[in-house]
PDB file of all heavy atoms in Angstrom:
ATOM      1  N   ASN A 405     104.162  82.788  63.677  1.00 96.00           N
ATOM      2  CA  ASN A 405     105.018  83.529  62.745  1.00 96.00           C
ATOM      3  C   ASN A 405     106.272  84.094  63.411  1.00 96.00           C
ATOM      4  O   ASN A 405     107.184  84.533  62.722  1.00 96.00           O
ATOM      5  CB  ASN A 405     104.223  84.673  62.109  1.00 96.00           C
ATOM      6  CG  ASN A 405     103.126  84.140  61.213  1.00 96.00           C
ATOM      7  OD1 ASN A 405     103.297  83.118  60.563  1.00 96.00           O
ATOM      8  ND2 ASN A 405     101.998  84.807  61.198  1.00 96.00           N
ATOM      9  N   GLY A 406     106.312  84.106  64.729  1.00 97.00           N
ATOM     10  CA  GLY A 406     107.459  84.680  65.439  1.00 97.00           C
ATOM     11  C   GLY A 406     108.783  83.987  65.185  1.00 97.00           C
ATOM     12  O   GLY A 406     109.802  84.645  64.970  1.00 97.00           O
ATOM     13  N   PRO A 407     108.819  82.640  65.197  1.00 97.00           N
ATOM     14  CA  PRO A 407     110.115  81.967  65.053  1.00 97.00           C
ATOM     15  C   PRO A 407     110.853  82.326  63.758  1.00 97.00           C
ATOM     16  O   PRO A 407     112.079  82.409  63.750  1.00 97.00           O
ATOM     17  CB  PRO A 407     109.743  80.479  65.090  1.00 97.00           C
ATOM     18  CG  PRO A 407     108.508  80.439  65.923  1.00 97.00           C
ATOM     19  CD  PRO A 407     107.747  81.684  65.545  1.00 97.00           C
ATOM     20  N   GLY A 408     110.115  82.544  62.682  1.00 97.00           N
ATOM     21  CA  GLY A 408     110.775  82.889  61.412  1.00 97.00           C
ATOM     22  C   GLY A 408     111.641  84.122  61.571  1.00 97.00           C
ATOM     23  O   GLY A 408     112.827  84.121  61.211  1.00 97.00           O
ATOM     24  N   GLU A 409     111.088  85.151  62.150  1.00 96.00           N
ATOM     25  CA  GLU A 409     111.836  86.405  62.343  1.00 96.00           C
ATOM     26  C   GLU A 409     112.914  86.242  63.417  1.00 96.00           C
ATOM     27  O   GLU A 409     114.034  86.709  63.266  1.00 96.00           O
ATOM     28  CB  GLU A 409     110.860  87.513  62.747  1.00 96.00           C
ATOM     29  CG  GLU A 409     111.450  88.903  62.769  1.00 96.00           C
ATOM     30  CD  GLU A 409     111.636  89.479  61.369  1.00 96.00           C
ATOM     31  OE1 GLU A 409     110.782  89.272  60.500  1.00 96.00           O
ATOM     32  OE2 GLU A 409     112.677  90.120  61.168  1.00 96.00           O
ATOM     33  N   ALA A 410     112.561  85.541  64.493  1.00 97.00           N
ATOM     34  CA  ALA A 410     113.507  85.386  65.613  1.00 97.00           C
ATOM     35  C   ALA A 410     114.757  84.614  65.196  1.00 97.00           C
ATOM     36  O   ALA A 410     115.841  84.811  65.742  1.00 97.00           O
ATOM     37  CB  ALA A 410     112.817  84.694  66.791  1.00 97.00           C
ATOM     38  N   ARG A 411     114.617  83.736  64.224  1.00 97.00           N
ATOM     39  CA  ARG A 411     115.774  82.962  63.724  1.00 97.00           C
ATOM     40  C   ARG A 411     116.700  83.798  62.840  1.00 97.00           C
ATOM     41  O   ARG A 411     117.847  83.447  62.646  1.00 97.00           O
ATOM     42  CB  ARG A 411     115.280  81.804  62.856  1.00 97.00           C
ATOM     43  CG  ARG A 411     114.911  80.576  63.597  1.00 97.00           C
ATOM     44  CD  ARG A 411     114.518  79.501  62.587  1.00 97.00           C
ATOM     45  NE  ARG A 411     113.479  78.637  63.107  1.00 97.00           N
ATOM     46  CZ  ARG A 411     113.708  77.626  63.947  1.00 97.00           C
ATOM     47  NH1 ARG A 411     114.936  77.361  64.327  1.00 97.00           N
ATOM     48  NH2 ARG A 411     112.724  76.903  64.398  1.00 97.00           N
ATOM     49  N   GLU A 412     116.151  84.858  62.257  1.00 96.00           N
ATOM     50  CA  GLU A 412     116.898  85.638  61.266  1.00 96.00           C
ATOM     51  C   GLU A 412     117.864  86.646  61.895  1.00 96.00           C
ATOM     52  O   GLU A 412     118.684  87.221  61.213  1.00 96.00           O
ATOM     53  CB  GLU A 412     115.915  86.440  60.393  1.00 96.00           C
ATOM     54  CG  GLU A 412     115.065  85.595  59.474  1.00 96.00           C
ATOM     55  CD  GLU A 412     115.876  84.961  58.369  1.00 96.00           C
ATOM     56  OE1 GLU A 412     116.644  85.678  57.708  1.00 96.00           O
ATOM     57  OE2 GLU A 412     115.762  83.737  58.176  1.00 96.00           O
ATOM     58  N   VAL A 413     117.702  86.894  63.182  1.00 96.00           N
ATOM     59  CA  VAL A 413     118.476  87.965  63.831  1.00 96.00           C
ATOM     60  C   VAL A 413     119.520  87.360  64.772  1.00 96.00           C
ATOM     61  O   VAL A 413     119.619  86.144  64.894  1.00 96.00           O
ATOM     62  CB  VAL A 413     117.534  88.919  64.607  1.00 96.00           C
ATOM     63  CG1 VAL A 413     116.645  89.692  63.649  1.00 96.00           C
ATOM     64  CG2 VAL A 413     116.704  88.150  65.619  1.00 96.00           C
ATOM     65  N   ASP A 414     120.276  88.213  65.465  1.00 96.00           N
ATOM     66  CA  ASP A 414     121.289  87.699  66.395  1.00 96.00           C
ATOM     67  C   ASP A 414     120.633  86.969  67.567  1.00 96.00           C
ATOM     68  O   ASP A 414     121.077  85.913  67.995  1.00 96.00           O
ATOM     69  CB  ASP A 414     122.142  88.857  66.922  1.00 96.00           C
ATOM     70  CG  ASP A 414     122.943  89.508  65.811  1.00 96.00           C
ATOM     71  OD1 ASP A 414     123.621  88.768  65.072  1.00 96.00           O
ATOM     72  OD2 ASP A 414     122.871  90.739  65.654  1.00 96.00           O
ATOM     73  N   ILE A 415     119.579  87.578  68.097  1.00 97.00           N
ATOM     74  CA  ILE A 415     118.886  86.963  69.232  1.00 97.00           C
ATOM     75  C   ILE A 415     117.420  87.381  69.192  1.00 97.00           C
ATOM     76  O   ILE A 415     117.102  88.527  68.856  1.00 97.00           O
ATOM     77  CB  ILE A 415     119.582  87.347  70.567  1.00 97.00           C
ATOM     78  CG1 ILE A 415     118.939  86.604  71.747  1.00 97.00           C
ATOM     79  CG2 ILE A 415     119.592  88.853  70.822  1.00 97.00           C
ATOM     80  CD1 ILE A 415     119.829  86.585  72.989  1.00 97.00           C
ATOM     81  N   GLY A 416     116.542  86.438  69.490  1.00 97.00           N
ATOM     82  CA  GLY A 416     115.120  86.769  69.386  1.00 97.00           C
ATOM     83  C   GLY A 416     114.258  85.916  70.286  1.00 97.00           C
ATOM     84  O   GLY A 416     114.686  84.882  70.811  1.00 97.00           O
ATOM     85  N   ILE A 417     113.034  86.377  70.439  1.00 98.00           N
ATOM     86  CA  ILE A 417     112.033  85.702  71.262  1.00 98.00           C
ATOM     87  C   ILE A 417     110.779  85.503  70.411  1.00 98.00           C
ATOM     88  O   ILE A 417     110.366  86.411  69.688  1.00 98.00           O
ATOM     89  CB  ILE A 417     111.637  86.605  72.465  1.00 98.00           C
ATOM     90  CG1 ILE A 417     112.777  86.779  73.461  1.00 98.00           C
ATOM     91  CG2 ILE A 417     110.376  86.112  73.161  1.00 98.00           C
ATOM     92  CD1 ILE A 417     112.983  85.626  74.389  1.00 98.00           C
ATOM     93  N   ALA A 418     110.180  84.338  70.507  1.00 98.00           N
ATOM     94  CA  ALA A 418     108.850  84.120  69.932  1.00 98.00           C
ATOM     95  C   ALA A 418     107.945  83.726  71.088  1.00 98.00           C
ATOM     96  O   ALA A 418     108.171  82.713  71.760  1.00 98.00           O
ATOM     97  CB  ALA A 418     108.892  83.023  68.880  1.00 98.00           C
ATOM     98  N   GLY A 419     106.945  84.537  71.345  1.00 97.00           N
ATOM     99  CA  GLY A 419     106.108  84.358  72.533  1.00 97.00           C
ATOM    100  C   GLY A 419     105.083  83.253  72.371  1.00 97.00           C
ATOM    101  O   GLY A 419     104.518  83.053  71.293  1.00 97.00           O
ATOM    102  N   GLY A 420     104.820  82.521  73.468  1.00 96.00           N
ATOM    103  CA  GLY A 420     103.748  81.537  73.509  1.00 96.00           C
ATOM    104  C   GLY A 420     102.832  81.866  74.676  1.00 96.00           C
ATOM    105  O   GLY A 420     102.934  82.950  75.246  1.00 96.00           O
ATOM    106  N   LYS A 421     101.971  80.936  75.051  1.00 96.00           N
ATOM    107  CA  LYS A 421     101.057  81.197  76.166  1.00 96.00           C
ATOM    108  C   LYS A 421     101.817  81.130  77.483  1.00 96.00           C
ATOM    109  O   LYS A 421     102.089  80.051  77.988  1.00 96.00           O
ATOM    110  CB  LYS A 421      99.949  80.136  76.169  1.00 96.00           C
ATOM    111  CG  LYS A 421      98.593  80.722  75.830  1.00 96.00           C
ATOM    112  CD  LYS A 421      97.512  79.706  76.025  1.00 96.00           C
ATOM    113  CE  LYS A 421      96.150  80.200  75.607  1.00 96.00           C
ATOM    114  NZ  LYS A 421      96.056  81.303  74.711  1.00 96.00           N
ATOM    115  N   GLY A 422     102.199  82.277  78.019  1.00 95.00           N
ATOM    116  CA  GLY A 422     102.899  82.315  79.298  1.00 95.00           C
ATOM    117  C   GLY A 422     104.379  81.980  79.206  1.00 95.00           C
ATOM    118  O   GLY A 422     105.037  81.723  80.214  1.00 95.00           O
ATOM    119  N   PHE A 423     104.934  81.949  78.006  1.00 97.00           N
ATOM    120  CA  PHE A 423     106.369  81.664  77.852  1.00 97.00           C
ATOM    121  C   PHE A 423     106.869  82.296  76.557  1.00 97.00           C
ATOM    122  O   PHE A 423     106.099  82.869  75.791  1.00 97.00           O
ATOM    123  CB  PHE A 423     106.635  80.143  77.822  1.00 97.00           C
ATOM    124  CG  PHE A 423     106.091  79.468  76.602  1.00 97.00           C
ATOM    125  CD1 PHE A 423     106.874  79.337  75.451  1.00 97.00           C
ATOM    126  CD2 PHE A 423     104.798  78.985  76.575  1.00 97.00           C
ATOM    127  CE1 PHE A 423     106.374  78.727  74.303  1.00 97.00           C
ATOM    128  CE2 PHE A 423     104.286  78.382  75.427  1.00 97.00           C
ATOM    129  CZ  PHE A 423     105.065  78.259  74.296  1.00 97.00           C
ATOM    130  N   GLY A 424     108.157  82.184  76.329  1.00 98.00           N
ATOM    131  CA  GLY A 424     108.722  82.585  75.050  1.00 98.00           C
ATOM    132  C   GLY A 424     109.838  81.627  74.695  1.00 98.00           C
ATOM    133  O   GLY A 424     110.533  81.114  75.576  1.00 98.00           O
ATOM    134  N   PHE A 425     109.983  81.332  73.404  1.00 98.00           N
ATOM    135  CA  PHE A 425     111.140  80.553  72.955  1.00 98.00           C
ATOM    136  C   PHE A 425     112.260  81.526  72.645  1.00 98.00           C
ATOM    137  O   PHE A 425     112.049  82.526  71.962  1.00 98.00           O
ATOM    138  CB  PHE A 425     110.812  79.755  71.691  1.00 98.00           C
ATOM    139  CG  PHE A 425     109.962  78.541  71.940  1.00 98.00           C
ATOM    140  CD1 PHE A 425     108.755  78.380  71.286  1.00 98.00           C
ATOM    141  CD2 PHE A 425     110.392  77.551  72.818  1.00 98.00           C
ATOM    142  CE1 PHE A 425     107.973  77.258  71.503  1.00 98.00           C
ATOM    143  CE2 PHE A 425     109.614  76.421  73.050  1.00 98.00           C
ATOM    144  CZ  PHE A 425     108.402  76.275  72.388  1.00 98.00           C
ATOM    145  N   LEU A 426     113.445  81.205  73.139  1.00 98.00           N
ATOM    146  CA  LEU A 426     114.617  82.030  72.871  1.00 98.00           C
ATOM    147  C   LEU A 426     115.382  81.456  71.683  1.00 98.00           C
ATOM    148  O   LEU A 426     115.639  80.243  71.631  1.00 98.00           O
ATOM    149  CB  LEU A 426     115.536  82.041  74.105  1.00 98.00           C
ATOM    150  CG  LEU A 426     116.877  82.741  73.932  1.00 98.00           C
ATOM    151  CD1 LEU A 426     116.693  84.264  73.910  1.00 98.00           C
ATOM    152  CD2 LEU A 426     117.844  82.349  75.039  1.00 98.00           C
ATOM    153  N   PHE A 427     115.725  82.300  70.739  1.00 98.00           N
ATOM    154  CA  PHE A 427     116.529  81.906  69.575  1.00 98.00           C
ATOM    155  C   PHE A 427     117.830  82.701  69.587  1.00 98.00           C
ATOM    156  O   PHE A 427     117.821  83.901  69.868  1.00 98.00           O
ATOM    157  CB  PHE A 427     115.787  82.222  68.276  1.00 98.00           C
ATOM    158  CG  PHE A 427     114.561  81.390  68.068  1.00 98.00           C
ATOM    159  CD1 PHE A 427     113.357  81.751  68.657  1.00 98.00           C
ATOM    160  CD2 PHE A 427     114.603  80.248  67.296  1.00 98.00           C
ATOM    161  CE1 PHE A 427     112.212  80.982  68.466  1.00 98.00           C
ATOM    162  CE2 PHE A 427     113.462  79.467  67.099  1.00 98.00           C
ATOM    163  CZ  PHE A 427     112.267  79.844  67.690  1.00 98.00           C
ATOM    164  N   LYS A 428     118.922  82.001  69.280  1.00 97.00           N
ATOM    165  CA  LYS A 428     120.206  82.697  69.144  1.00 97.00           C
ATOM    166  C   LYS A 428     120.852  82.243  67.860  1.00 97.00           C
ATOM    167  O   LYS A 428     121.012  81.034  67.652  1.00 97.00           O
ATOM    168  CB  LYS A 428     121.139  82.345  70.315  1.00 97.00           C
ATOM    169  CG  LYS A 428     120.991  83.274  71.502  1.00 97.00           C
ATOM    170  CD  LYS A 428     121.819  82.777  72.667  1.00 97.00           C
ATOM    171  CE  LYS A 428     123.076  83.587  72.820  1.00 97.00           C
ATOM    172  NZ  LYS A 428     123.793  83.243  74.057  1.00 97.00           N
TER     173      LYS A 428
END
Side-chain angles (χ1 to χ4, degrees):
N405 293 325
E409 189 76 39
R411 275 183 213 280
E412 291 291 311
V413 293
D414 295 309
I415 185 162
I417 292 281
K421 248 188 184 20
F423 68 90
F425 285 123
L426 174 74
F427 293 84
K428 270 174 103 172

